[in-house]
Amino acid sequence: MSKKKLVALTGAGISAESGIATFRDSGGLWEGHKVEDVATPEGWERNPKLVLDFYNERRKKALESKPNRGHEILVELEKQFDVTIITQNVDDLHERVGSTNVIHLHGKLFESRSTINPSLIYPIEGWELKLGDLCEQGSQLRPNIVWFGEAVPMIEVASIIASTADIFLVVGTSLLVYPAAGLIDYVPDRVKKFVIDPQKPDILHVPNIEFITEKGSVGLAKLKSKLGLSFS
Ligand code: APR
């Protein structure tokens, strides 16, 4: 009997307990910076060094951080379910803890990309990407991150996966940024959705939702025991 499909949409909140700042909570990542200066193509054109420094700082932070219990539980659920993680996060904590099926909607912090040929993608060893770091065709490398206003290449794949879920989890995202936030609308009405977050995101229009208003590690532990009972 094949395993039921569990799809988890994760956001910055699942990395909060690893010490990585979220975006919109107080003291969040956007408070120190203007989004348009560090996370848009226009900001990159205006001042690429500022953008490179912003992501270098985030890479340093990610290297100092480690996966938390919430990340671990999503791996443990792979014993019982066919788990796909669709993350808005650019850190590699899901992979570092052993999740085997992770889709990054907004790119990857530890990858760079050519500015003249987007298919040229390179791993970033360590924390630094500098002006003068060039692709094999001689153009400046940029963070392999989806900036505001740019296409989200993986959104079609992600929406198909969401539409095939037997269970859908939302963990640690304010669901304010589209198209990622729209994925929940691809999940069939009959499919149970669990939303784990200390704050209730505004998705009251979505049927068949159960809110677990806890932080990720606690909410996922509660969910795991719930699922253990109903899908034994
Ligand atoms: N456990 C679970 N959820 C938490 C925790 C925690 N310990 N701490 C905070 N949260 C929740 C907040 O209540 C909020 O709902 O995590 C969510 C964080 O929301 P955002 O900061 O908006 O992060 P996210 O939803 O991932 O942002 C989406 O916006 O800026 C862009 O590209 C960026 O991927 C990001 C996207």
Side-chain angles (χ1 to χ4, degrees):
M1 147 97 150
S2 65
K3 292 180 183 176
K4 288 196 175 292
K5 288 183 190 304
L6 184 146
V7 178
L9 173 64
T10 67
I14 198 167
S15 296
E17 290 164 84
S18 297
I20 295 179
T22 62
F23 293 94
R24 294 171 184 83
D25 291 321
S26 60
L29 260 180
W30 295 138
E31 287 196 351
H33 301 276
K34 293 221 291 281
V35 176
E36 55 274 20
D37 289 341
V38 294
T40 62
E42 298 74 20
W44 171 256
E45 289 310 313
R46 267 197 311 276
N47 185 344
K49 186 178 178 324
L50 176 69
V51 175
L52 290 169
D53 290 348
F54 174 68
Y55 287 96
N56 287 342
E57 284 310 306
R58 292 180 66 189
R59 226 167 276 118
K60 258 192 233 174
K61 188 69 199 152
L63 285 172
E64 292 157 10
S65 308
K66 58 186 182 50
N68 63 65
R69 187 71 195 117
H71 295 106
E72 288 171 355
I73 292 173
L74 286 175
V75 177
E76 291 163 10
L77 288 173
E78 291 190 14
K79 292 191 200 87
Q80 249 182 307
F81 299 96
D82 169 9
V83 177
T84 302
I85 293 175
I86 301 170
T87 189
Q88 301 169 84
N89 299 339
V90 294
D91 65 52
D92 59 350
L93 297 182
H94 283 301
E95 288 86 349
R96 277 170 44 195
V97 76
S99 285
T100 53
N101 198 359
V102 184
I103 294 172
H104 283 264
L105 291 177
H106 295 163
K108 295 184 178 180
L109 197 51
F110 290 94
E111 285 182 351
S112 66
R113 192 171 88 218
S114 161
T115 42
I116 46 170
N117 179 346
S119 65
L120 295 179
I121 293 174
Y122 307 88
I124 298 175
E125 308 301 333
W127 62 274
E128 202 173 14
L129 182 62
K130 305 184 299 299
L131 283 177
D133 289 348
L134 307 180
C135 79
E136 61 208 76
Q137 294 174 355
S139 85
Q140 172 66 45
L141 290 173
R142 59 165 274 183
N144 189 27
I145 301 283
V146 177
W147 287 329
F148 287 96
E150 294 188 313
V152 178
M154 298 303 286
I155 196 66
E156 281 78 18
V157 166
S159 49
I160 291 165
I161 289 168
S163 71
T164 63
D166 295 309
I167 306 178
F168 193 76
L169 310 191
V170 176
V171 188
T173 172
S174 57
L175 290 173
L176 292 174
V177 173
Y178 286 79
L183 284 174
I184 198 162
D185 296 324
Y186 284 88
V187 182
D189 289 359
R190 60 172 165 69
V191 171
K192 187 73 183 268
K193 302 142 190 95
F194 293 93
V195 178
I196 298 171
D197 193 314
Q199 317 283 334
K200 271 190 182 176
D202 170 17
I203 39 171
L204 300 175
H205 70 284
V206 175
N208 215 348
I209 278 200
E210 181 173 336
F211 290 98
I212 304 177
T213 45
E214 297 282 1
K215 60 183 185 180
S217 60
V218 173
L220 280 161
K222 279 190 176 175
L223 176 74
K224 190 181 167 205
S225 55
K226 268 179 197 279
L227 294 180
L229 297 176
S230 55
F231 281 90
S232 46

